[in-house]
Amino acid sequence: MPELKSKKILFYILSLAICSVFFVSTFYSTTNKLTPPSKAIEIPIAQNSSQSVSKENYTFDPNWKQRNYAPPPPETLVAIMSNVITKKNKSFRLKLKSDVQEKKVLLTAVVNSGMIDYTLNWIESLRLTKQDDKFLVFAIDQGVVDELTLKGYGKQVTLIPNDWFHVPLASDMALWRSNDYRPITHAKSLVVERLLYLDITVWFTDVDIVFLSPFIRETMLAQMAQRPNTHMIFSQEVDHRSVNSGFYLMKPSKITKQFMDQIIREQDITETLTQQRVMNNVLKKMFPTDITLSPYRLLDMLLFPNGNYYFKLNLPKKLGIKPMIVHANFLIGDKKKIALIKAGLWYNNSS
């Protein structure tokens, strides 16, 4: 009996040892498959796609090379640099002097003469919220430069250099999705890309937007700093399903330069899609939708409402929320101005 009992104990010990070895080998085998020692973790961006997004650098195409642009003309560069807002950006995680960086932010818009009344209204909303000291309007045509200079904004307007354009542009007000509308929105992408290559964080805004708060920039920069891998912040077009290309903050990085490059390439070949549609298509193709992994964030639609939320659904007022901006999109032609006047948001007395 003692001999049998000893055999049973020995059998249990051997069984336990075998199980332990099997468990350890399985664990390390699985770990090595998931995270190779020499590579970052990769997250698929789409089903049946051979391309992937690295958690560390989010490079859609690892072979992509940055463009080598010539410096802007001297007058353009002076206009840009004299309107750049220098902001010290402190990390939310560390309290070291080395963790404090200077961020160059440029509030900018791209307009033609057909939008001059809205541009003046946009500028007046900046003045009322004490944000009119530094901004830059990129003019598609000389008429914008002449009009803004006449109004006293000569240092805050510059003509877009001819070699930045890919196609000729019209100077009249372009209706949404018209033949003139797409080339104008294409020019916006071209300007933003050039600014990124000047190491500037681009705060882009359409001019059918009214500013209602003096803390918009700080709010967006704080939201960007809260999550270190945030490279872009967009207002929303449709609730959590698409972004609006008329209001966003984009810091200069390989991610954003590659993003804008892909947008421009697709805008160059399309004859039907607007910049906003192209931007959303590229965003979904390049980056994961996982909020913890994607390099972009979305602004709250009640604080940054579009025309549908503000004018049609009247949601901010119904909920007692004061928005930071109002975007008069979802309205075409003169309906924009009528809606802004009715809401008490038309400050341009010259028209």
Side-chain angles (χ1 to χ4, degrees):
M1 290 296 292
E3 183 179 353
L4 180 60
K5 187 176 181 180
S6 298
K7 289 182 178 180
K8 286 184 178 181
I9 293 173
L10 182 61
F11 173 76
Y12 290 141
I13 292 174
L14 288 173
S15 298
L16 181 60
I18 292 170
C19 289
S20 298
V21 171
F22 177 77
F23 174 78
V24 171
S25 62
T26 303
F27 173 78
Y28 279 106
S29 174
T30 305
T31 302
N32 289 334
K33 288 180 181 179
L34 291 174
T35 55
S38 59
K39 291 185 178 181
I41 298 174
E42 294 188 342
I43 311 297
I45 61 169
Q47 290 182 347
N48 301 323
S49 173
S50 59
Q51 295 168 314
S52 59
V53 177
S54 166
K55 185 178 179 182
E56 293 183 353
N57 58 26
Y58 296 91
T59 301
F60 177 66
D61 179 2
N63 299 317
W64 179 83
K65 302 295 183 183
Q66 297 192 49
R67 292 186 176 271
N68 187 22
Y69 287 120
E75 62 274 16
T76 306
L77 189 58
V78 168
I80 292 170
M81 292 307 173
S82 62
N83 285 289
V84 161
I85 305 164
T86 302
K87 177 74 176 177
K88 288 188 176 181
N89 183 38
K90 297 182 180 180
S91 171
F92 275 65
R93 298 174 300 164
L94 301 177
K95 294 182 179 180
L96 303 175
K97 288 185 178 180
S98 60
D99 202 49
V100 179
Q101 299 177 340
E102 282 194 346
K103 186 185 294 290
K104 294 184 295 183
V105 181
L106 181 66
L107 172 59
T108 190
V110 176
V111 299
N112 65 355
S113 290
M115 292 295 289
I116 195 66
D117 285 347
Y118 290 92
T119 305
L120 292 171
N121 193 64
W122 174 75
I123 293 173
E124 185 63 12
S125 76
L126 292 177
R127 187 188 69 80
L128 292 173
T129 55
K130 304 185 187 305
Q131 298 172 95
D132 62 329
D133 55 333
K134 289 189 177 183
F135 66 88
L136 184 61
V137 173
F138 279 90
I140 288 172
D141 57 84
Q142 186 63 39
V144 176
V145 177
D146 295 341
E147 185 67 23
L148 291 185
T149 301
L150 184 64
K151 297 292 185 182
Y153 302 111
K155 294 182 178 180
Q156 292 165 305
V157 59
T158 187
L159 196 64
I160 301 175
N162 282 329
D163 62 348
W164 288 17
F165 290 119
H166 287 200
V167 292
L169 279 77
S171 60
D172 297 330
M173 181 177 179
L175 296 179
W176 181 64
R177 298 188 72 176
S178 67
N179 291 333
D180 292 333
Y181 181 81
R182 283 185 293 275
I184 290 174
T185 60
H186 192 8
K188 298 175 181 180
S189 300
L190 299 172
V191 169
V192 170
E193 184 193 39
R194 295 286 185 142
L195 292 173
L196 293 175
Y197 276 91
L198 293 175
D199 198 31
I200 289 172
T201 295
V202 182
W203 180 10
F204 183 86
T205 167
D206 282 345
V207 292
D208 58 348
I209 285 175
V210 177
F211 283 53
L212 300 177
S213 169
F215 305 113
I216 300 170
R217 184 180 74 249
E218 286 80 0
T219 299
M220 297 172 76
L221 287 174
Q223 188 169 345
M224 183 172 279
Q226 284 171 350
R227 196 184 67 172
N229 64 321
T230 302
H231 293 248
M232 302 169 278
I233 296 180
F234 296 97
S235 61
Q236 299 182 57
E237 180 71 3
V238 180
D239 203 359
H240 292 283
R241 283 179 285 169
S242 61
V243 304
N244 183 276
S245 61
F247 190 84
Y248 56 84
L249 190 72
M250 188 177 292
K251 69 182 183 182
S253 67
K254 187 176 181 181
I255 295 171
T256 57
K257 290 172 186 174
Q258 191 173 169
F259 176 60
M260 292 307 302
D261 180 61
Q262 188 66 26
I263 289 172
I264 290 168
R265 288 176 186 273
E266 296 200 14
Q267 283 188 276
D268 280 342
I269 61 176
T270 184
E271 296 181 357
T272 57
L273 300 180
T274 63
Q275 181 214 25
Q276 183 161 288
R277 179 63 66 84
V278 171
M279 181 176 282
N280 276 281
N281 289 346
V282 173
L283 203 65
K284 292 174 182 177
K285 182 167 63 174
M286 285 185 67
F287 306 121
T289 55
D290 188 331
I291 192 172
T292 64
L293 297 176
S294 66
Y296 67 93
R297 298 183 70 177
L298 303 176
L299 294 167
D300 189 284
M301 288 189 73
L302 293 173
L303 292 176
F304 297 85
N306 57 28
N308 185 50
Y309 256 51
Y310 189 83
F311 296 110
K312 295 182 179 181
L313 301 178
N314 199 25
L315 284 179
K317 187 175 181 180
K318 287 180 179 178
L319 298 174
I321 296 173
K322 184 178 180 181
M324 289 189 157
I325 69 165
V326 171
H327 193 171
N329 60 351
F330 282 81
L331 301 166
I332 300 175
D334 291 338
K335 290 182 180 180
K336 288 179 182 287
K337 182 176 178 180
I338 294 170
L340 289 169
I341 292 173
K342 188 176 179 181
L345 300 176
W346 188 260
Y347 314 123
N348 179 16
N349 296 322
S350 63
S351 63

